[in-house]
Amino acid sequence: MSIEVSNLSKQFNGFRAVKEVSFKIETGELVALLGPSGSGKSTLLRMIAGLELPDTGLIKLTGRETTNVSPKDRGIGFVFQHYALFKHMNVFENIAFGLKIRKIPKKEIKLRVEELLNLIQLTGLEKRYPFQLSGGQRQRVAVARALAPRPEVLLLDEPFGALDAKVREELRKWILLLHEQTQITTLFVTHDQHEALEIAHQIFVMNEGIIEQSGIPIEIFDKPATQFVAEFVGENNFIESEVTGHGIVRWGPLSFKVNGYPLNQKVKIYFRPNDVLVNSRSDIESTKAIISKTKFKGALIELQLLIEPGKRIIAHIPKGVFISSGYSEGSDIYFRITEYHSFLSNKKVIDESIISI
Amino acid sequence: MKKKFNSFFKSKETDNKKISKLSEPLIVRMIIITTSVFFILIFIFVPLLLVFVKAFAKGWEAYINSITEPETFSAIKLTLLTAVIAVPCNMIFGIIASWLIAKFNFHGKSLLTSLIDLPFAVSPVISGLVFVLLFGRNGWFGGWLFNNDIKIIFAVPGIVLATIFVTFPFVARELIPIMQSNGNEEEQAAIVLGAGPLKIFFSITLPNIKWALIYGVIICNARAMGEFGAVSVVSGHIRGETNTIPLQAEILYNEYQMNAAFAVASLLTFLAVITLAIKKFAEIKIRSEIKQSSIITIGENI
């Protein structure tokens, strides 16, 4: 089932949570709504579910207009951040709830619940109560409960937000597997970019009530369309300087070629720490710096490079490279920037050429 | 020397060492505990015991006789009737009001919240007088009521109304905090799964507030049966007709029928003991309900 939203807006006491948002999700897709808290992503999801009514705009599910249809008639399943399991019902009763309401015969309910228990890998725990389950188990029960009445769309609101890192990791893999098995159109809200980049086929990045960019994860990461996306997704070096002659932005010894800006225009330049290539020997394209600080980040090592007083950038290199190269704080290093993006203050992208300096 | 003394002192403690270090010195604790036990004995337990001692002073037969004496028996019936009407009314009102307050935002919400507490703030005698002013012979509706031959003041309806007014806050006050802490995600989940309002109320909302509701109802009932002030104003003290148990106890006492008065009083005391027992049980259940809901919202490892 496809989800189509056009010009959807919602206000809360004068605060415009969602501003004329439009998008279309095709059947079977797995889409992430990514954004910081307060960006309107949950409100948007709740409007699609029918838990909030939009002020203006239309919602179409499988081409059928459902803007004012009651949630139960939309063919959706909804998973809440805090699970919202029925506390006084056991796992079986929780999953069976939506089926009982549809007056499905007991035998069928039993079969369906068993099938779902198998799907969420919790067979044998049907007599447990929510408080006897771990956070991850609860969230899986919540997903099973939402899937029980065979919805055509699954909506998840920060589904792993309340869980710790390890469990999140496992559930991410599980939700991918689940999507492969069920092929249900899925839209989930998250503030965690790793979650969105890892799971989703497509990401909508939301900020202040609008969708800043939509695209496949690699596009979002490599080609941020707006300044916000560049800042929000992934880590970034950020410098601000003015355009000098021939479309060049200078910042200390570095110069960046940008197109289409007037002379003396202030421009912001973003480049990722992993797009800073370092070498212990100088070559024609590289710039010299001193390693002023190193930080252990697990598989990566973060190097703080001091280019000249007051001008620092950050580079990420694999731990193995760091160890074998013998870099240490205070040693000289040479680097070049392989990819960067420039933005005006109006946030729209002007230039994203890949050039060497 | 001091060290030795300390360690000797600690070894006497049954608590672990850390707690004994953090708590007050033994002598202070002993003084506090003795004082509170003494107070509870003198002011709570002994009077309670005396009620029963006095009630049974002339034996079982006299006790039964004083309770089954027609005027007293009618007072018991009236008290039960009042409670049977007033408690369900306040239960329904309490559920609706707390549901509104806990789950919705609307204009006048804080006013409604304060109004619920009004009967707590007003003296019961004033509460009774309000009803006399409204429904009495010279009250606002007095003329109309008289012309239509409806009696409210100095009759059963007035007693019921006054009781409802006085016991109005108990259920709502118990339910509001628990409903607020429950939030409405479970209800929303049920909506998406296709449940209608009645189904949601009876299979989601009500089970989640069950023990708090029982707690509120039992306290409400205790107060409804024991209310003196407001009921005294509106009842008119017509023997065998508009006297409730507390009013009957007072009349008997004023007539120096001590044993009968205490026999009647023992009924209310007995009610209090049962109320406390159920209340205690409900408290334990509520605590585990809250614990469960907080575990669920916090979440932890797989």
Side-chain angles (χ1 to χ4, degrees), chain A residues 3 44-50 61 76-80 146 153-157 184-189:
Chain A
I3 307 173
L44 185 54
L45 193 80
R46 292 169 62 84
M47 284 195 285
I48 296 170
L61 300 172
I76 50 146
F78 199 96
V79 176
F80 294 81
V153 168
L154 184 61
L155 305 170
L156 305 109
D157 189 5
I184 183 173
T185 312
T186 306
L187 177 61
F188 72 99
V189 157

mmCIF file with all atom_site columns, all heavy atoms in Angstrom, chain A residues 3 44-50 61 76-80 146 153-157 184-189:
data_model
loop_
_atom_site.group_PDB
_atom_site.id
_atom_site.type_symbol
_atom_site.label_atom_id
_atom_site.label_alt_id
_atom_site.label_comp_id
_atom_site.label_asym_id
_atom_site.label_entity_id
_atom_site.label_seq_id
_atom_site.pdbx_PDB_ins_code
_atom_site.Cartn_x
_atom_site.Cartn_y
_atom_site.Cartn_z
_atom_site.occupancy
_atom_site.B_iso_or_equiv
_atom_site.pdbx_formal_charge
_atom_site.auth_seq_id
_atom_site.auth_comp_id
_atom_site.auth_asym_id
_atom_site.auth_atom_id
_atom_site.pdbx_PDB_model_num
ATOM 1   N N   . ILE A 1 3   ? 1.691  5.358  0.475  1.00 0.00 ? 3   ILE A N   1
ATOM 2   C CA  . ILE A 1 3   ? 1.292  6.480  1.334  1.00 0.00 ? 3   ILE A CA  1
ATOM 3   C C   . ILE A 1 3   ? 1.552  7.752  0.548  1.00 0.00 ? 3   ILE A C   1
ATOM 4   O O   . ILE A 1 3   ? 2.660  7.945  0.046  1.00 0.00 ? 3   ILE A O   1
ATOM 5   C CB  . ILE A 1 3   ? 2.130  6.532  2.623  1.00 0.00 ? 3   ILE A CB  1
ATOM 6   C CG1 . ILE A 1 3   ? 2.103  5.193  3.357  1.00 0.00 ? 3   ILE A CG1 1
ATOM 7   C CG2 . ILE A 1 3   ? 1.650  7.668  3.520  1.00 0.00 ? 3   ILE A CG2 1
ATOM 8   C CD1 . ILE A 1 3   ? 3.041  5.142  4.539  1.00 0.00 ? 3   ILE A CD1 1
ATOM 9   N N   . LEU A 1 44  ? 3.772  14.276 12.098 1.00 0.00 ? 44  LEU A N   1
ATOM 10  C CA  . LEU A 1 44  ? 3.481  13.829 10.740 1.00 0.00 ? 44  LEU A CA  1
ATOM 11  C C   . LEU A 1 44  ? 3.038  12.364 10.740 1.00 0.00 ? 44  LEU A C   1
ATOM 12  O O   . LEU A 1 44  ? 2.028  11.999 10.121 1.00 0.00 ? 44  LEU A O   1
ATOM 13  C CB  . LEU A 1 44  ? 4.744  14.016 9.875  1.00 0.00 ? 44  LEU A CB  1
ATOM 14  C CG  . LEU A 1 44  ? 4.651  13.714 8.391  1.00 0.00 ? 44  LEU A CG  1
ATOM 15  C CD1 . LEU A 1 44  ? 3.519  14.501 7.750  1.00 0.00 ? 44  LEU A CD1 1
ATOM 16  C CD2 . LEU A 1 44  ? 5.969  14.073 7.714  1.00 0.00 ? 44  LEU A CD2 1
ATOM 17  N N   . LEU A 1 45  ? 3.761  11.547 11.484 1.00 0.00 ? 45  LEU A N   1
ATOM 18  C CA  . LEU A 1 45  ? 3.432  10.123 11.553 1.00 0.00 ? 45  LEU A CA  1
ATOM 19  C C   . LEU A 1 45  ? 2.049  9.918  12.179 1.00 0.00 ? 45  LEU A C   1
ATOM 20  O O   . LEU A 1 45  ? 1.255  9.108  11.700 1.00 0.00 ? 45  LEU A O   1
ATOM 21  C CB  . LEU A 1 45  ? 4.503  9.392  12.382 1.00 0.00 ? 45  LEU A CB  1
ATOM 22  C CG  . LEU A 1 45  ? 4.469  7.878  12.294 1.00 0.00 ? 45  LEU A CG  1
ATOM 23  C CD1 . LEU A 1 45  ? 5.146  7.421  11.018 1.00 0.00 ? 45  LEU A CD1 1
ATOM 24  C CD2 . LEU A 1 45  ? 5.170  7.244  13.479 1.00 0.00 ? 45  LEU A CD2 1
ATOM 25  N N   . ARG A 1 46  ? 1.794  10.678 13.250 1.00 0.00 ? 46  ARG A N   1
ATOM 26  C CA  . ARG A 1 46  ? 0.512  10.530 13.940 1.00 0.00 ? 46  ARG A CA  1
ATOM 27  C C   . ARG A 1 46  ? -0.649 11.001 13.069 1.00 0.00 ? 46  ARG A C   1
ATOM 28  O O   . ARG A 1 46  ? -1.767 10.503 13.189 1.00 0.00 ? 46  ARG A O   1
ATOM 29  C CB  . ARG A 1 46  ? 0.539  11.274 15.275 1.00 0.00 ? 46  ARG A CB  1
ATOM 30  C CG  . ARG A 1 46  ? 1.502  10.630 16.276 1.00 0.00 ? 46  ARG A CG  1
ATOM 31  C CD  . ARG A 1 46  ? 1.721  11.500 17.488 1.00 0.00 ? 46  ARG A CD  1
ATOM 32  N NE  . ARG A 1 46  ? 0.477  11.707 18.221 1.00 0.00 ? 46  ARG A NE  1
ATOM 33  C CZ  . ARG A 1 46  ? -0.002 10.857 19.124 1.00 0.00 ? 46  ARG A CZ  1
ATOM 34  N NH1 . ARG A 1 46  ? 0.676  9.772  19.413 1.00 0.00 ? 46  ARG A NH1 1
ATOM 35  N NH2 . ARG A 1 46  ? -1.121 11.100 19.729 1.00 0.00 ? 46  ARG A NH2 1
ATOM 36  N N   . MET A 1 47  ? -0.384 11.961 12.185 1.00 0.00 ? 47  MET A N   1
ATOM 37  C CA  . MET A 1 47  ? -1.439 12.387 11.263 1.00 0.00 ? 47  MET A CA  1
ATOM 38  C C   . MET A 1 47  ? -1.735 11.290 10.250 1.00 0.00 ? 47  MET A C   1
ATOM 39  O O   . MET A 1 47  ? -2.889 11.057 9.896  1.00 0.00 ? 47  MET A O   1
ATOM 40  C CB  . MET A 1 47  ? -1.040 13.691 10.570 1.00 0.00 ? 47  MET A CB  1
ATOM 41  C CG  . MET A 1 47  ? -1.179 14.900 11.471 1.00 0.00 ? 47  MET A CG  1
ATOM 42  S SD  . MET A 1 47  ? -1.123 16.461 10.586 1.00 0.00 ? 47  MET A SD  1
ATOM 43  C CE  . MET A 1 47  ? 0.593  16.615 10.208 1.00 0.00 ? 47  MET A CE  1
ATOM 44  N N   . ILE A 1 48  ? -0.689 10.622 9.790  1.00 0.00 ? 48  ILE A N   1
ATOM 45  C CA  . ILE A 1 48  ? -0.900 9.525  8.839  1.00 0.00 ? 48  ILE A CA  1
ATOM 46  C C   . ILE A 1 48  ? -1.698 8.413  9.514  1.00 0.00 ? 48  ILE A C   1
ATOM 47  O O   . ILE A 1 48  ? -2.563 7.785  8.919  1.00 0.00 ? 48  ILE A O   1
ATOM 48  C CB  . ILE A 1 48  ? 0.449  9.004  8.302  1.00 0.00 ? 48  ILE A CB  1
ATOM 49  C CG1 . ILE A 1 48  ? 1.146  10.101 7.506  1.00 0.00 ? 48  ILE A CG1 1
ATOM 50  C CG2 . ILE A 1 48  ? 0.241  7.758  7.426  1.00 0.00 ? 48  ILE A CG2 1
ATOM 51  C CD1 . ILE A 1 48  ? 2.577  9.795  7.141  1.00 0.00 ? 48  ILE A CD1 1
ATOM 52  N N   . ALA A 1 49  ? -1.430 8.207  10.823 1.00 0.00 ? 49  ALA A N   1
ATOM 53  C CA  . ALA A 1 49  ? -2.142 7.168  11.568 1.00 0.00 ? 49  ALA A CA  1
ATOM 54  C C   . ALA A 1 49  ? -3.565 7.579  11.902 1.00 0.00 ? 49  ALA A C   1
ATOM 55  O O   . ALA A 1 49  ? -4.395 6.739  12.209 1.00 0.00 ? 49  ALA A O   1
ATOM 56  C CB  . ALA A 1 49  ? -1.386 6.841  12.859 1.00 0.00 ? 49  ALA A CB  1
ATOM 57  N N   . GLY A 1 50  ? -3.828 8.896  11.903 1.00 0.00 ? 50  GLY A N   1
ATOM 58  C CA  . GLY A 1 50  ? -5.147 9.370  12.283 1.00 0.00 ? 50  GLY A CA  1
ATOM 59  C C   . GLY A 1 50  ? -5.245 9.682  13.760 1.00 0.00 ? 50  GLY A C   1
ATOM 60  O O   . GLY A 1 50  ? -6.331 9.913  14.277 1.00 0.00 ? 50  GLY A O   1
ATOM 61  N N   . LEU A 1 61  ? -4.033 6.797  1.309  1.00 0.00 ? 61  LEU A N   1
ATOM 62  C CA  . LEU A 1 61  ? -3.433 5.477  1.492  1.00 0.00 ? 61  LEU A CA  1
ATOM 63  C C   . LEU A 1 61  ? -3.952 4.598  0.364  1.00 0.00 ? 61  LEU A C   1
ATOM 64  O O   . LEU A 1 61  ? -5.166 4.477  0.186  1.00 0.00 ? 61  LEU A O   1
ATOM 65  C CB  . LEU A 1 61  ? -3.795 4.907  2.867  1.00 0.00 ? 61  LEU A CB  1
ATOM 66  C CG  . LEU A 1 61  ? -3.336 5.767  4.057  1.00 0.00 ? 61  LEU A CG  1
ATOM 67  C CD1 . LEU A 1 61  ? -3.895 5.235  5.369  1.00 0.00 ? 61  LEU A CD1 1
ATOM 68  C CD2 . LEU A 1 61  ? -1.828 5.824  4.142  1.00 0.00 ? 61  LEU A CD2 1
ATOM 69  N N   . ILE A 1 76  ? -3.761 0.502  9.082  1.00 0.00 ? 76  ILE A N   1
ATOM 70  C CA  . ILE A 1 76  ? -2.397 0.766  9.529  1.00 0.00 ? 76  ILE A CA  1
ATOM 71  C C   . ILE A 1 76  ? -2.116 0.030  10.834 1.00 0.00 ? 76  ILE A C   1
ATOM 72  O O   . ILE A 1 76  ? -3.023 -0.309 11.590 1.00 0.00 ? 76  ILE A O   1
ATOM 73  C CB  . ILE A 1 76  ? -2.161 2.267  9.780  1.00 0.00 ? 76  ILE A CB  1
ATOM 74  C CG1 . ILE A 1 76  ? -3.284 2.810  10.671 1.00 0.00 ? 76  ILE A CG1 1
ATOM 75  C CG2 . ILE A 1 76  ? -2.095 3.027  8.474  1.00 0.00 ? 76  ILE A CG2 1
ATOM 76  C CD1 . ILE A 1 76  ? -2.836 3.874  11.581 1.00 0.00 ? 76  ILE A CD1 1
ATOM 77  N N   . GLY A 1 77  ? -0.845 -0.207 11.093 1.00 0.00 ? 77  GLY A N   1
ATOM 78  C CA  . GLY A 1 77  ? -0.402 -0.686 12.397 1.00 0.00 ? 77  GLY A CA  1
ATOM 79  C C   . GLY A 1 77  ? 0.516  0.375  12.963 1.00 0.00 ? 77  GLY A C   1
ATOM 80  O O   . GLY A 1 77  ? 1.288  0.977  12.214 1.00 0.00 ? 77  GLY A O   1
ATOM 81  N N   . PHE A 1 78  ? 0.419  0.627  14.265 1.00 0.00 ? 78  PHE A N   1
ATOM 82  C CA  . PHE A 1 78  ? 1.198  1.708  14.858 1.00 0.00 ? 78  PHE A CA  1
ATOM 83  C C   . PHE A 1 78  ? 1.980  1.182  16.052 1.00 0.00 ? 78  PHE A C   1
ATOM 84  O O   . PHE A 1 78  ? 1.431  0.482  16.895 1.00 0.00 ? 78  PHE A O   1
ATOM 85  C CB  . PHE A 1 78  ? 0.256  2.836  15.307 1.00 0.00 ? 78  PHE A CB  1
ATOM 86  C CG  . PHE A 1 78  ? 0.945  4.155  15.517 1.00 0.00 ? 78  PHE A CG  1
ATOM 87  C CD1 . PHE A 1 78  ? 0.965  5.116  14.514 1.00 0.00 ? 78  PHE A CD1 1
ATOM 88  C CD2 . PHE A 1 78  ? 1.572  4.442  16.724 1.00 0.00 ? 78  PHE A CD2 1
ATOM 89  C CE1 . PHE A 1 78  ? 1.599  6.334  14.706 1.00 0.00 ? 78  PHE A CE1 1
ATOM 90  C CE2 . PHE A 1 78  ? 2.205  5.656  16.921 1.00 0.00 ? 78  PHE A CE2 1
ATOM 91  C CZ  . PHE A 1 78  ? 2.227  6.604  15.913 1.00 0.00 ? 78  PHE A CZ  1
ATOM 92  N N   . VAL A 1 79  ? 3.272  1.512  16.094 1.00 0.00 ? 79  VAL A N   1
ATOM 93  C CA  . VAL A 1 79  ? 4.101  1.088  17.230 1.00 0.00 ? 79  VAL A CA  1
ATOM 94  C C   . VAL A 1 79  ? 4.597  2.336  17.950 1.00 0.00 ? 79  VAL A C   1
ATOM 95  O O   . VAL A 1 79  ? 5.173  3.220  17.327 1.00 0.00 ? 79  VAL A O   1
ATOM 96  C CB  . VAL A 1 79  ? 5.288  0.230  16.755 1.00 0.00 ? 79  VAL A CB  1
ATOM 97  C CG1 . VAL A 1 79  ? 6.197  -0.132 17.918 1.00 0.00 ? 79  VAL A CG1 1
ATOM 98  C CG2 . VAL A 1 79  ? 4.784  -1.029 16.070 1.00 0.00 ? 79  VAL A CG2 1
ATOM 99  N N   . PHE A 1 80  ? 4.344  2.385  19.255 1.00 0.00 ? 80  PHE A N   1
ATOM 100 C CA  . PHE A 1 80  ? 4.695  3.562  20.042 1.00 0.00 ? 80  PHE A CA  1
ATOM 101 C C   . PHE A 1 80  ? 6.101  3.446  20.615 1.00 0.00 ? 80  PHE A C   1
ATOM 102 O O   . PHE A 1 80  ? 6.597  2.340  20.842 1.00 0.00 ? 80  PHE A O   1
ATOM 103 C CB  . PHE A 1 80  ? 3.702  3.742  21.192 1.00 0.00 ? 80  PHE A CB  1
ATOM 104 C CG  . PHE A 1 80  ? 2.315  4.061  20.742 1.00 0.00 ? 80  PHE A CG  1
ATOM 105 C CD1 . PHE A 1 80  ? 1.458  3.047  20.319 1.00 0.00 ? 80  PHE A CD1 1
ATOM 106 C CD2 . PHE A 1 80  ? 1.861  5.358  20.720 1.00 0.00 ? 80  PHE A CD2 1
ATOM 107 C CE1 . PHE A 1 80  ? 0.170  3.330  19.904 1.00 0.00 ? 80  PHE A CE1 1
ATOM 108 C CE2 . PHE A 1 80  ? 0.580  5.658  20.305 1.00 0.00 ? 80  PHE A CE2 1
ATOM 109 C CZ  . PHE A 1 80  ? -0.271 4.647  19.897 1.00 0.00 ? 80  PHE A CZ  1
ATOM 110 N N   . ALA A 1 146 ? 0.820  -4.812 16.487 1.00 0.00 ? 146 ALA A N   1
ATOM 111 C CA  . ALA A 1 146 ? 0.442  -3.928 15.384 1.00 0.00 ? 146 ALA A CA  1
ATOM 112 C C   . ALA A 1 146 ? 0.240  -4.707 14.087 1.00 0.00 ? 146 ALA A C   1
ATOM 113 O O   . ALA A 1 146 ? -0.602 -4.366 13.276 1.00 0.00 ? 146 ALA A O   1
ATOM 114 C CB  . ALA A 1 146 ? 1.502  -2.849 15.200 1.00 0.00 ? 146 ALA A CB  1
ATOM 115 N N   . VAL A 1 153 ? 0.087  -0.897 6.148  1.00 0.00 ? 153 VAL A N   1
ATOM 116 C CA  . VAL A 1 153 ? 1.172  0.041  6.425  1.00 0.00 ? 153 VAL A CA  1
ATOM 117 C C   . VAL A 1 153 ? 1.566  -0.108 7.888  1.00 0.00 ? 153 VAL A C   1
ATOM 118 O O   . VAL A 1 153 ? 0.707  -0.240 8.755  1.00 0.00 ? 153 VAL A O   1
ATOM 119 C CB  . VAL A 1 153 ? 0.717  1.499  6.172  1.00 0.00 ? 153 VAL A CB  1
ATOM 120 C CG1 . VAL A 1 153 ? 1.725  2.477  6.735  1.00 0.00 ? 153 VAL A CG1 1
ATOM 121 C CG2 . VAL A 1 153 ? 0.530  1.749  4.693  1.00 0.00 ? 153 VAL A CG2 1
ATOM 122 N N   . LEU A 1 154 ? 2.870  -0.121 8.147  1.00 0.00 ? 154 LEU A N   1
ATOM 123 C CA  . LEU A 1 154 ? 3.334  -0.161 9.525  1.00 0.00 ? 154 LEU A CA  1
ATOM 124 C C   . LEU A 1 154 ? 4.013  1.166  9.840  1.00 0.00 ? 154 LEU A C   1
ATOM 125 O O   . LEU A 1 154 ? 4.926  1.593  9.127  1.00 0.00 ? 154 LEU A O   1
ATOM 126 C CB  . LEU A 1 154 ? 4.321  -1.329 9.708  1.00 0.00 ? 154 LEU A CB  1
ATOM 127 C CG  . LEU A 1 154 ? 4.827  -1.568 11.126 1.00 0.00 ? 154 LEU A CG  1
ATOM 128 C CD1 . LEU A 1 154 ? 3.681  -1.892 12.080 1.00 0.00 ? 154 LEU A CD1 1
ATOM 129 C CD2 . LEU A 1 154 ? 5.850  -2.700 11.160 1.00 0.00 ? 154 LEU A CD2 1
ATOM 130 N N   . LEU A 1 155 ? 3.523  1.821  10.888 1.00 0.00 ? 155 LEU A N   1
ATOM 131 C CA  . LEU A 1 155 ? 4.090  3.108  11.298 1.00 0.00 ? 155 LEU A CA  1
ATOM 132 C C   . LEU A 1 155 ? 4.755  2.924  12.655 1.00 0.00 ? 155 LEU A C   1
ATOM 133 O O   . LEU A 1 155 ? 4.141  2.388  13.581 1.00 0.00 ? 155 LEU A O   1
ATOM 134 C CB  . LEU A 1 155 ? 2.992  4.168  11.397 1.00 0.00 ? 155 LEU A CB  1
ATOM 135 C CG  . LEU A 1 155 ? 2.146  4.380  10.145 1.00 0.00 ? 155 LEU A CG  1
ATOM 136 C CD1 . LEU A 1 155 ? 0.956  5.271  10.451 1.00 0.00 ? 155 LEU A CD1 1
ATOM 137 C CD2 . LEU A 1 155 ? 2.973  4.977  9.020  1.00 0.00 ? 155 LEU A CD2 1
ATOM 138 N N   . LEU A 1 156 ? 6.012  3.333  12.768 1.00 0.00 ? 156 LEU A N   1
ATOM 139 C CA  . LEU A 1 156 ? 6.723  3.165  14.035 1.00 0.00 ? 156 LEU A CA  1
ATOM 140 C C   . LEU A 1 156 ? 7.248  4.519  14.512 1.00 0.00 ? 156 LEU A C   1
ATOM 141 O O   . LEU A 1 156 ? 7.956  5.204  13.778 1.00 0.00 ? 156 LEU A O   1
ATOM 142 C CB  . LEU A 1 156 ? 7.892  2.176  13.881 1.00 0.00 ? 156 LEU A CB  1
ATOM 143 C CG  . LEU A 1 156 ? 7.563  0.793  13.339 1.00 0.00 ? 156 LEU A CG  1
ATOM 144 C CD1 . LEU A 1 156 ? 8.099  0.646  11.927 1.00 0.00 ? 156 LEU A CD1 1
ATOM 145 C CD2 . LEU A 1 156 ? 8.148  -0.287 14.213 1.00 0.00 ? 156 LEU A CD2 1
ATOM 146 N N   . ASP A 1 157 ? 6.879  4.878  15.745 1.00 0.00 ? 157 ASP A N   1
ATOM 147 C CA  . ASP A 1 157 ? 7.292  6.170  16.297 1.00 0.00 ? 157 ASP A CA  1
ATOM 148 C C   . ASP A 1 157 ? 8.483  5.961  17.227 1.00 0.00 ? 157 ASP A C   1
ATOM 149 O O   . ASP A 1 157 ? 8.309  5.460  18.332 1.00 0.00 ? 157 ASP A O   1
ATOM 150 C CB  . ASP A 1 157 ? 6.111  6.792  17.050 1.00 0.00 ? 157 ASP A CB  1
ATOM 151 C CG  . ASP A 1 157 ? 6.390  8.222  17.474 1.00 0.00 ? 157 ASP A CG  1
ATOM 152 O OD1 . ASP A 1 157 ? 7.453  8.754  17.110 1.00 0.00 ? 157 ASP A OD1 1
ATOM 153 O OD2 . ASP A 1 157 ? 5.537  8.803  18.165 1.00 0.00 ? 157 ASP A OD2 1
ATOM 154 N N   . ILE A 1 184 ? 5.869  -5.281 4.091  1.00 0.00 ? 184 ILE A N   1
ATOM 155 C CA  . ILE A 1 184 ? 4.853  -4.291 4.402  1.00 0.00 ? 184 ILE A CA  1
ATOM 156 C C   . ILE A 1 184 ? 5.446  -2.890 4.273  1.00 0.00 ? 184 ILE A C   1
ATOM 157 O O   . ILE A 1 184 ? 6.596  -2.664 4.649  1.00 0.00 ? 184 ILE A O   1
ATOM 158 C CB  . ILE A 1 184 ? 4.279  -4.541 5.816  1.00 0.00 ? 184 ILE A CB  1
ATOM 159 C CG1 . ILE A 1 184 ? 3.162  -3.569 6.133  1.00 0.00 ? 184 ILE A CG1 1
ATOM 160 C CG2 . ILE A 1 184 ? 5.357  -4.453 6.882  1.00 0.00 ? 184 ILE A CG2 1
ATOM 161 C CD1 . ILE A 1 184 ? 2.458  -3.892 7.425  1.00 0.00 ? 184 ILE A CD1 1
ATOM 162 N N   . THR A 1 185 ? 4.672  -1.984 3.690  1.00 0.00 ? 185 THR A N   1
ATOM 163 C CA  . THR A 1 185 ? 5.114  -0.590 3.578  1.00 0.00 ? 185 THR A CA  1
ATOM 164 C C   . THR A 1 185 ? 5.363  -0.056 4.992  1.00 0.00 ? 185 THR A C   1
ATOM 165 O O   . THR A 1 185 ? 4.465  -0.105 5.832  1.00 0.00 ? 185 THR A O   1
ATOM 166 C CB  . THR A 1 185 ? 4.033  0.275  2.901  1.00 0.00 ? 185 THR A CB  1
ATOM 167 O OG1 . THR A 1 185 ? 3.588  -0.400 1.733  1.00 0.00 ? 185 THR A OG1 1
ATOM 168 C CG2 . THR A 1 185 ? 4.563  1.637  2.548  1.00 0.00 ? 185 THR A CG2 1
ATOM 169 N N   . THR A 1 186 ? 6.572  0.411  5.244  1.00 0.00 ? 186 THR A N   1
ATOM 170 C CA  . THR A 1 186 ? 6.925  0.788  6.612  1.00 0.00 ? 186 THR A CA  1
ATOM 171 C C   . THR A 1 186 ? 7.479  2.201  6.650  1.00 0.00 ? 186 THR A C   1
ATOM 172 O O   . THR A 1 186 ? 8.344  2.559  5.854  1.00 0.00 ? 186 THR A O   1
ATOM 173 C CB  . THR A 1 186 ? 7.978  -0.184 7.183  1.00 0.00 ? 186 THR A CB  1
ATOM 174 O OG1 . THR A 1 186 ? 7.489  -1.514 7.054  1.00 0.00 ? 186 THR A OG1 1
ATOM 175 C CG2 . THR A 1 186 ? 8.285  0.111  8.634  1.00 0.00 ? 186 THR A CG2 1
ATOM 176 N N   . LEU A 1 187 ? 6.965  2.984  7.591  1.00 0.00 ? 187 LEU A N   1
ATOM 177 C CA  . LEU A 1 187 ? 7.478  4.341  7.797  1.00 0.00 ? 187 LEU A CA  1
ATOM 178 C C   . LEU A 1 187 ? 7.839  4.454  9.267  1.00 0.00 ? 187 LEU A C   1
ATOM 179 O O   . LEU A 1 187 ? 7.003  4.227  10.134 1.00 0.00 ? 187 LEU A O   1
ATOM 180 C CB  . LEU A 1 187 ? 6.407  5.366  7.423  1.00 0.00 ? 187 LEU A CB  1
ATOM 181 C CG  . LEU A 1 187 ? 6.745  6.841  7.636  1.00 0.00 ? 187 LEU A CG  1
ATOM 182 C CD1 . LEU A 1 187 ? 7.946  7.264  6.820  1.00 0.00 ? 187 LEU A CD1 1
ATOM 183 C CD2 . LEU A 1 187 ? 5.547  7.720  7.292  1.00 0.00 ? 187 LEU A CD2 1
ATOM 184 N N   . PHE A 1 188 ? 9.102  4.748  9.558  1.00 0.00 ? 188 PHE A N   1
ATOM 185 C CA  . PHE A 1 188 ? 9.459  4.894  10.970 1.00 0.00 ? 188 PHE A CA  1
ATOM 186 C C   . PHE A 1 188 ? 10.138 6.218  11.247 1.00 0.00 ? 188 PHE A C   1
ATOM 187 O O   . PHE A 1 188 ? 10.847 6.762  10.412 1.00 0.00 ? 188 PHE A O   1
ATOM 188 C CB  . PHE A 1 188 ? 10.281 3.702  11.473 1.00 0.00 ? 188 PHE A CB  1
ATOM 189 C CG  . PHE A 1 188 ? 11.699 3.640  10.969 1.00 0.00 ? 188 PHE A CG  1
ATOM 190 C CD1 . PHE A 1 188 ? 12.743 4.100  11.770 1.00 0.00 ? 188 PHE A CD1 1
ATOM 191 C CD2 . PHE A 1 188 ? 11.999 3.115  9.732  1.00 0.00 ? 188 PHE A CD2 1
ATOM 192 C CE1 . PHE A 1 188 ? 14.060 4.031  11.329 1.00 0.00 ? 188 PHE A CE1 1
ATOM 193 C CE2 . PHE A 1 188 ? 13.304 3.049  9.275  1.00 0.00 ? 188 PHE A CE2 1
ATOM 194 C CZ  . PHE A 1 188 ? 14.338 3.511  10.075 1.00 0.00 ? 188 PHE A CZ  1
ATOM 195 N N   . VAL A 1 189 ? 9.859  6.714  12.442 1.00 0.00 ? 189 VAL A N   1
ATOM 196 C CA  . VAL A 1 189 ? 10.398 7.993  12.876 1.00 0.00 ? 189 VAL A CA  1
ATOM 197 C C   . VAL A 1 189 ? 11.622 7.727  13.740 1.00 0.00 ? 189 VAL A C   1
ATOM 198 O O   . VAL A 1 189 ? 11.617 6.817  14.557 1.00 0.00 ? 189 VAL A O   1
ATOM 199 C CB  . VAL A 1 189 ? 9.321  8.749  13.696 1.00 0.00 ? 189 VAL A CB  1
ATOM 200 C CG1 . VAL A 1 189 ? 9.949  9.768  14.606 1.00 0.00 ? 189 VAL A CG1 1
ATOM 201 C CG2 . VAL A 1 189 ? 8.324  9.404  12.769 1.00 0.00 ? 189 VAL A CG2 1
#
